Amino acid sequence: MLDETKFTPHGKHLIAGAWVAGDTTFRNDPARGPAHDFAVGTPAHVDRASAAAEEAFGSYGNASREDRAAFIEAIADEIEARADAITEIGSRESGLPEARLRGERGRTTGQLRLFAAHIRAGDYLDRRHDEALPDRQPLPRPDLKMVQRPIGPVAVFGASNFPLAFSTAGGDTAAALAAGCPVVVKGHPAHPGTGEIVSEAIHAAIKRCDVHPGVFSNIHGSTREVGEALVQHPLIRAVGFTGSLGGGRALFDLCAARPEPIPFYGELGSVNPIFVLPEALAARGADIGTAWATSLTMGAGQFCTNPGIVVLIDGNKADAFVAAAKDALSGTGAQTMLTEGIASAYRSGRARVAGTEGVTTVLDTESIGRTAKPLVFETTGATWMASRDLGEEVFGPLGLVVRVGDAAEMLSLAKSLAGQLTCTLHMDGGDKDLARRLMPILERKAGRLLANGFPTGVEVSDAMVHGGPYPASTNFGATSVGTLSIRRFLRPVCYQNMPGDILPDDLRQ
């Protein structure tokens, strides 16, 4: 009987069904509890895992949708069988509250089961058939059938801020396995123990469903070497990444520079601007300010959808918004951040924003060690549009209020935005004319547009888009959340005059 409450990491990679040690180790840095040693991944580990993934693709890529769905559901079952142990080690490593980890585990198993249902339905295959027209003039038309097919082994990089939902068995892995693609995960060094126990769950599901063990490998990594080797390996056909702009862009460039370039689906962050339109500001500006404070500090602001920027028209109603936000944030205590490095970067972000000419401080706090307290600054629309630095994400609970002179300047600021994951409009009935003018601008800037809400909290569903124009993500036509994300790991194949009995099963059906 599995002991759900105790788990001690052994620190090994999982490569094609075998637990593999390394010549060197690194030590994790948990927010609480004992540290553990983990093997350092090498290019040799990457080569072994990638070769096994390619071998597994021969059977897994051609397995029935029902077999793949059953395997994905088995992974969810095995994760739930380790529920308490996953929560405990995930909270220890990341500093996230246990309640947050329980919710994230439910999201992880939920999206696995969602993909199982999605591939059973089969709509994602986008099957098309143009029947032969042998008598067409001046030339006959052949029989043409098209279906989406899996692309091959996929590399997935674990994210620092979601140890479960965007990491080992998270959305990228779920989408790739649903598509029929084996996965090689490069684990995040901030939570290697969490990655290891989730890998054990996947390993158990592989054995339970008699799947080729090369369908999944997890390689620990504390250096750039293993990540660079993974994206450049000739057997890897695509990459899923959630992380920083600098790290993601470096990997994107490596993918593009390969002799055979591959797609790099990177989600790189966003400042997620909120536009508070005049009537909404006048009627309920203080309430919106209080609600913004809650969203800004959720999870210590460590969400890629954190609403870091608020744009509103200057005046006494803007003063009320800022005062309410400041009052709500003043009572927020220090929150533990995911890593020492992220906490240090937050302090650097504060110094960068505070040191920008034309920026004034609304709420200043001191963040010490691995903790963060909220910060609020404000500036003018002119300063914002003149300063590229102010549009860069600060990962943590830092908010910037941008006061514009009128609706025309608000429109100009919207046009100046870089790509975003989300843009939000807070509006009342009389704001709709301005909203209609903003919409054509903002839908070119973001993958998700919201009305009268806040972007923290990303629903896992059919219609969700979690992506946007660069630098929010590296592929504006993709999403990393929701069932549409499976398209990243598929490609259309057309079969011309092909005998029916040798077509893929999904076309013969």
Side-chain angles (χ1 to χ4, degrees), residues 128-351:
R128 305 183 185 200
H129 182 199
D130 295 318
E131 293 184 357
L133 298 176
D135 299 327
R136 189 182 69 174
Q137 295 298 324
L139 294 171
R141 184 175 76 185
D143 182 85
L144 302 170
K145 295 184 177 72
M146 188 276 286
V147 70
Q148 300 287 339
R149 297 291 292 156
I151 60 173
V154 169
V156 170
F157 284 71
S160 63
N161 58 335
F162 280 88
L164 300 173
F166 277 85
S167 290
T168 312
D172 289 344
T173 298
L177 291 176
C181 300
V183 173
V184 180
V185 169
K186 189 271 185 187
H188 199 286
H191 44 75
T194 309
E196 185 179 299
I197 191 171
V198 174
S199 295
E200 287 194 353
I202 299 173
H203 182 48
I206 287 171
K207 292 189 290 185
R208 172 173 150 188
C209 297
D210 195 25
V211 174
H212 190 298
V215 77
F216 175 83
S217 293
N218 179 61
I219 302 174
H220 295 300
S222 62
T223 67
R224 293 181 178 179
E225 183 183 35
V226 66
E228 292 173 353
L230 186 55
V231 302
Q232 293 180 99
H233 197 282
L235 295 177
I236 295 297
R237 311 313 302 159
V239 179
F241 174 89
T242 300
S244 68
L245 175 58
R249 182 54 197 252
L251 295 173
F252 172 84
D253 290 344
L254 288 174
C255 287
R258 287 173 38 145
E260 183 182 359
I262 60 171
F264 179 86
Y265 297 107
E267 191 269 278
L268 309 180
S270 176
V271 295
N272 305 295
I274 290 177
F275 293 80
V276 185
L277 304 193
E279 286 211 1
L281 183 63
R284 50 194 176 88
D287 290 341
I288 298 171
T290 300
W292 174 58
T294 300
S295 182
L296 186 72
T297 54
M298 184 182 296
Q302 298 171 114
F303 292 103
C304 48
T305 54
N306 197 47
I309 306 295
V310 175
V311 183
L312 36 68
I313 295 175
D314 196 13
N316 60 355
K317 303 301 182 183
D319 294 342
F321 173 97
V322 172
K326 179 180 179 180
D327 184 61
L329 291 168
S330 295
T332 302
Q335 295 176 276
T336 302
M337 301 204 84
L338 293 158
T339 69
E340 294 280 358
I342 290 173
S344 176
Y346 179 65
R347 293 191 293 271
S348 296
R350 172 196 176 278

